Amino acid sequence: MTDAPRRTALDATHRGLGATMTDFAGWDMPLRYSSERDEHVAVRTRAGLFDLSHMGEITVTGPQAADLLDYALVGNIGGVKTGRARYTMICEDKGGILDDLIVYRLADQEYMVVANASNAQVVLDALSARAGGFDAAIRDDRDAYALLAVQGPESPGILKKLTDADLDGLKYYAGLPGTVAGVQALIARTGYTGEDGFELFVRPADAVALWEALTEAGKDAGLVPCGLSCRDTLRLEAGMPLYGHELTTATTPFDAGLGRVVKFEKTTNGGDFVGREALAEAAERAEARPPRKLVGLIARGRRVPRAGYPVVTADGTVIGEVTSGAPSPTLGKPIAIAYVDAAYATAGTEGVCVDIRGSHEPYEVTALPFYKRQK
Amino acid sequence: MSNPQQLRYSKEHEWLSGAEDGVSTVGITEHAANALGDVVYVQLPEVGATVAAGETCGELESTKSVSDLYSPVDGEIAEINEDVVNDPSLVNSAPFEGGWLFKVKISGEPGDLLSADEYAAFIQS
């Protein structure tokens, strides 16, 4: 691609804060403002403010919006109540994952599908291709929203200073329209950090005012701006998959240990949905003879595993591959998510190493997530 | 960001101190440390190892990336900084001081190293 990177409505704000910027899926996004470790710790202990305006919003409306989404996605979308959200996936006919999504039901006949920035066009195209015969309209709303996230234990207190919306009544994976700092927003209790937090979908023209109001409201609570680098270590500790790493078109939801998102018992379209047959086979295979399983690895040493590094036995036999790895600020050790042969996937399995540029470093096999917040 | 005047600099972003008894200290610059992000692991050459100017002699690992460490001169490793092995964040917090990496007994004239001002111009370009 020769196109210049896209910039969010907060671009000048990020530069004013001295952010290190990086190209991400065609967007120029903040990687970090100061130390990614400090940003990570702020989200775990206080609060962090993220610009996630690169995420792709697609609105689906109409009498058969629910039927269309039930057919196009693997989840039971018609069963989502208005004001609630659901984590789901869109798969190929052969079962491979095209993207993982959050779908918000905004009204009886209105949904907002939020896709990863790198896949937004793919999702838009797939939804459009699957919409034939349904009385529903698909609207590309990627330019209609900026997205700010406030994540961390202090986030409810910070947001309460700026809104009269009933945050206490807002459950995890729910969203409601409201006013935050005088700005119209969809307030959603969702996030990608493993902490309590909110995602605020607003008009791009309102993004700077909202960012500034949140910064001011969070000052005493220790809120700091956070970039994509700490977002990655936060989600990794929380065991959340990332498209392009744990999830690809070469994996089905069952291979990724996320078979629970696939609902075969749908009441719409006679139960039919794209990928149904292949996914039923994948479910059986994952149960009876899984080739590989997604596990957590904790380093005994200090060297950091990276995506693509082989997982090996002490004698060097390749038994898997790292999909994501980073030093974990919370555990104080490097951690990784990896696909490993099922025979080595049980927590506590001995003799598992990662080949770190030729050196076989010992790792402990563990269940995901690495980190779970205390509620 | 200021680069100490008394040091010399490589285009691979190492700094080299003046030699005392033929031994110089090597580290990476603040510019390089900032670009790497939080350094979490350093692999340094062993004491007694022979290093060559412009060749890899170790690794610096940060949250998001791995970078090779080069020696700015030919020589033999006289000492490594155990403090930075135990606490790699020193590379970020004190790149020109406590975050030094190794000392090298120089066996040849350093090649085309830059002055502080030349290095400042180099990283601007």
Side-chain angles (χ1 to χ4, degrees):
Chain A
M1 259 194 302
T2 54
D3 296 349
R6 301 184 64 188
R7 296 181 172 188
T8 77
L10 290 158
D11 190 75
T13 303
H14 301 318
R15 290 170 200 278
L17 288 165
T20 300
M21 306 296 284
T22 188
D23 177 78
F24 186 86
W27 289 81
D28 207 11
M29 298 299 291
L31 184 64
R32 56 186 146 83
Y33 299 84
S34 55
S35 154
E36 57 239 338
R37 194 177 344 204
D38 293 349
E39 292 169 20
H40 181 112
V41 171
V43 174
R44 285 273 178 264
T45 59
R46 303 188 306 274
L49 177 59
F50 296 82
D51 176 15
L52 306 175
S53 300
H54 59 312
M55 301 292 285
E57 297 84 4
I58 300 161
T59 305
V60 181
T61 55
Q64 288 192 299
D67 294 3
L68 164 58
L69 291 171
D70 271 344
Y71 172 70
L73 313 181
V74 301
N76 177 5
I77 307 304
V80 176
K81 291 191 172 69
T82 297
R84 300 305 302 266
R86 184 151 300 171
Y87 177 75
T88 187
M89 294 184 185
I90 182 166
C91 290
E92 297 172 316
D93 203 35
K94 287 186 222 160
I97 301 166
L98 284 172
D99 199 12
D100 62 338
L101 309 164
I102 293 181
V103 178
Y104 298 87
R105 188 167 200 169
L106 303 181
D108 186 41
Q109 297 188 8
E110 182 179 359
Y111 294 84
M112 182 171 72
V113 176
V114 181
N116 285 295
S118 53
N119 289 331
Q121 188 65 48
V122 170
V123 174
L124 188 62
D125 292 346
L127 283 178
S128 302
R130 295 171 188 188
F134 290 99
D135 185 4
I138 294 165
R139 190 170 72 228
D140 177 1
D141 269 345
R142 284 178 289 183
D143 293 336
Y145 292 103
L147 175 56
L148 278 64
V150 189
Q151 299 277 300
E154 299 287 347
S155 56
I158 292 167
L159 214 55
K160 276 178 193 172
K161 291 184 182 176
L162 300 175
T163 183
D164 293 333
D166 176 20
L167 297 183
D168 292 329
L170 188 68
K171 295 177 182 157
Y172 188 52
Y173 264 75
L176 57 81
T179 304
V180 181
V183 162
Q184 267 304 311
L186 170 67
I187 307 168
R189 201 160 203 157
T190 45
Y192 193 52
T193 60
E195 298 300 330
D196 190 9
F198 300 88
E199 295 185 308
L200 306 169
F201 295 86
V202 299
R203 293 186 310 145
D206 293 331
V208 171
L210 181 58
W211 178 279
E212 287 172 356
L214 288 164
T215 300
E216 182 62 31
K219 202 182 270 176
D220 294 342
L223 173 129
V224 298
C226 292
L228 293 182
S229 184
C230 81
R231 180 172 160 86
D232 192 49
T233 50
L234 288 159
R235 71 93 193 166
L236 180 53
E237 286 184 351
M240 294 173 173
L242 174 61
Y243 198 86
H245 289 249
E246 287 73 36
L247 312 178
T248 69
T249 49
T251 47
T252 71
F254 295 95
D255 299 314
L258 292 165
R260 60 186 161 75
V261 306
V262 181
K263 303 296 180 197
F264 291 108
E265 307 304 321
K266 299 194 195 197
T267 54
T268 46
N269 312 308
D272 189 31
F273 62 96
V274 177
R276 182 188 173 100
E277 202 175 322
L279 288 168
E281 283 170 27
E284 197 185 330
R285 190 180 61 236
E287 181 72 27
R289 44 189 165 83
R292 285 186 170 178
K293 287 187 171 180
L294 202 61
V295 299
L297 300 174
I298 301 175
R300 298 216 160 104
R302 299 172 58 166
R303 302 187 74 184
V304 185
R306 307 285 174 185
Y309 285 10
V311 181
V312 297
T313 59
D315 68 5
T317 307
V318 176
I319 55 165
E321 186 177 300
V322 171
T323 51
S324 297
S328 161
T330 304
L331 276 67
K333 298 173 185 174
I335 57 172
I337 300 179
Y339 280 106
V340 300
D341 291 353
Y344 295 88
T346 309
T349 302
E350 287 296 317
V352 171
C353 301
V354 176
D355 182 340
I356 297 188
R357 300 182 295 285
S359 166
H360 295 172
E361 302 286 325
Y363 276 74
E364 181 187 329
V365 178
T366 179
L368 295 168
F370 299 98
Y371 166 86
K372 203 163 189 178
R373 84 183 157 98
Q374 305 295 315
K375 287 181 186 168
Chain B
M1 209 179 304
S2 67
N3 301 300
Q5 285 293 331
Q6 74 276 18
L7 303 177
R8 287 177 292 173
Y9 299 88
S10 76
K11 289 183 176 176
E12 282 80 34
H13 309 288
E14 285 87 29
W15 55 261
L16 179 76
S17 74
E20 278 179 41
D21 299 333
V23 175
S24 289
T25 305
V26 173
I28 67 161
T29 66
E30 186 174 3
H31 171 78
N34 284 347
L36 281 172
D38 294 334
V39 175
V40 295
Y41 177 82
V42 295
Q43 185 188 45
L44 298 175
E46 287 178 12
V47 172
T50 303
V51 294
E55 289 188 8
T56 307
C57 64
E59 282 178 2
L60 293 166
E61 190 142 0
S62 65
T63 304
K64 295 306 281 179
S65 67
V66 188
S67 301
D68 283 326
L69 172 65
Y70 301 92
S71 175
V73 286
D74 295 342
E76 182 184 319
I77 300 298
E79 186 182 343
I80 61 167
N81 185 356
E82 295 289 351
D83 289 346
V84 86
V85 172
N86 293 325
D87 180 9
S89 72
L90 286 170
V91 174
N92 296 105
S93 59
F96 294 115
E97 290 150 7
W100 65 274
L101 298 175
F102 58 83
K103 295 187 180 185
V104 56
K105 190 171 193 311
I106 296 177
S107 63
E109 268 306 296
D112 52 348
L113 295 179
L114 308 175
S115 69
D117 292 342
E118 288 167 341
Y119 179 70
F122 171 70
I123 59 179
Q124 286 293 320
S125 64

